[in-house]
Amino acid sequence: MSDLFEVVQGQVKAAYPSIVFPEGDDDRIIEAAARLSTDKMLKPIIIGEKEKVQERAESLGVSFSEVEVFDPASYENLDRLVDAFVERRRGKETEESAREKLQNPNYFGTMLVHLDYADGLVSGAAHSTGDTVRPALQIIKTKPGIQKTSGVFIMVKEEKKFVFADCAINISPNAEELAEIAVATAETAQTFDMEPKVAMLSFSTKGSASSMETQKVSEATKKAQNDRPDLMIDGEFQFDAAFVPAVAQTKAPDSPLRGEANVFIFPSLESGNLGYKIAQRLGGYDAVGPILQGLNKPVNDLSRGCSVTDVYNLALITGKQAVMEKKTLTKV
C-alpha cells in the first residue's frame, strides 16, 4: 500500500489539485480534509454550512485554516452555476428547478468540477453510489466514445497491485459494454504505472464450457482485442487459469498472459463485488475505490463504511486522475 501511495503522493503534491467533498457534515470527511490540507497534498473544498463545519472541526481538534468551505445557500457565484446547469441540461431543467437542485451538495459540488472551480470530487461516505454518480452523468458526462461509466478497485497488498472491474456500477454488461470496461480498466492501470495484462473472467477457460454467459465473455474479448490490439487482453478464463502460471500452462498454453494477469474483468457486478470483497476480507488486500472511469473529469465514490484513511487515499487517487487528465488535455 505504501509503495502505491508514495508515488501518487509525490505526483499529486507537485500539482496541488483542488478536490471537492460534498459531505461536510461527516466527521470522516472533515478529518481527512484536514489531514490532506496539513500535509499540503491538495486543496480541499468542503460543501456545508461554514459555521457548523468549523465548529465540528474544532471539536475534532483538527486544523482547518487552509480548507475552503462553500455553502450552496450563500454561495456568491450561484447564479453562474444555475445558468451553466440549465445550459448543460439542455431544456431538462428550468432556472427554478436548477436553483433548487443545486442546494443538493452533490449537484453543487459536481457543478464546481464542471466549471473548473475544482479538479475532482469525492463523495459517498453518507450517500449511495447513485447519489454520487447521477449528477456526474448528468453534468460531467462520459468521454466521447464511452457508453457507460464503470467502477474499479485497485487491490493492494505490500508490493502487489491488481485492478478489479466492474465492481460498482453495471449489473449485467453485454459483450460490447464488457469490452469497453476492459479497455477503460487497462487505461486506468496504466495511469497507476502498471503494465496491464487483462484477463476476461468466466467459469470457462477458452471454451471448456459453453453457455450464453461464456459466449458473452468470449465475444467481449474479441471486441476488446480488435478495438485495442496494442493492449494485452485475453479470455475467457477461469480465475486460476488467469492467475496461476502452472494452471495456465495446462488450460491455456497459447495465451500471452501465461497466468500473470494483473487486471481482472468480471462478467457481472455480482461476481465483481463478491470477488473484491473476498480478496479484501480473506486475502488481506486493501481495496482502493471504487474509482469511476469513463467520465470527462474525475468523480469518485466512497463506501459508506469508509474510514478517514479511505477518504484520504481516494482523494489522492482522484487528484492523480485530475493530474493525468490535465496532461492528456495539454498533449491534445
Side-chain angles (χ1 to χ4, degrees), residues 23 96 100 133 304:
E23 298 164 317
E96 182 181 359
E100 180 181 351
V133 174
R304 277 175 281 185

Side-chain angles (χ1 to χ4, degrees), residues 4-5 8 121-123 129 133 149-156 162-169 181 184-185 187-189 191-192 276 287-295 297-303 310 313-322:
L4 171 66
F5 282 101
V8 171
L121 178 146
V122 173
S123 188
T129 294
V133 174
T149 188
S150 50
V152 309
F153 281 88
I154 301 179
M155 309 301 296
V156 185
F162 302 100
V163 186
F164 287 12
D166 177 358
C167 304
I169 305 293
I181 291 168
T185 307
E187 292 174 347
T188 295
T191 299
F192 294 98
Y276 99 78
V288 182
I291 300 165
L292 302 186
Q293 54 189 16
L295 294 168
K297 294 181 180 180
V299 171
N300 285 317
D301 178 39
L302 292 158
S303 165
D310 292 333
N313 287 341
L314 191 58
L316 289 175
I317 294 294
T318 307
K320 163 76 170 177
Q321 288 178 297

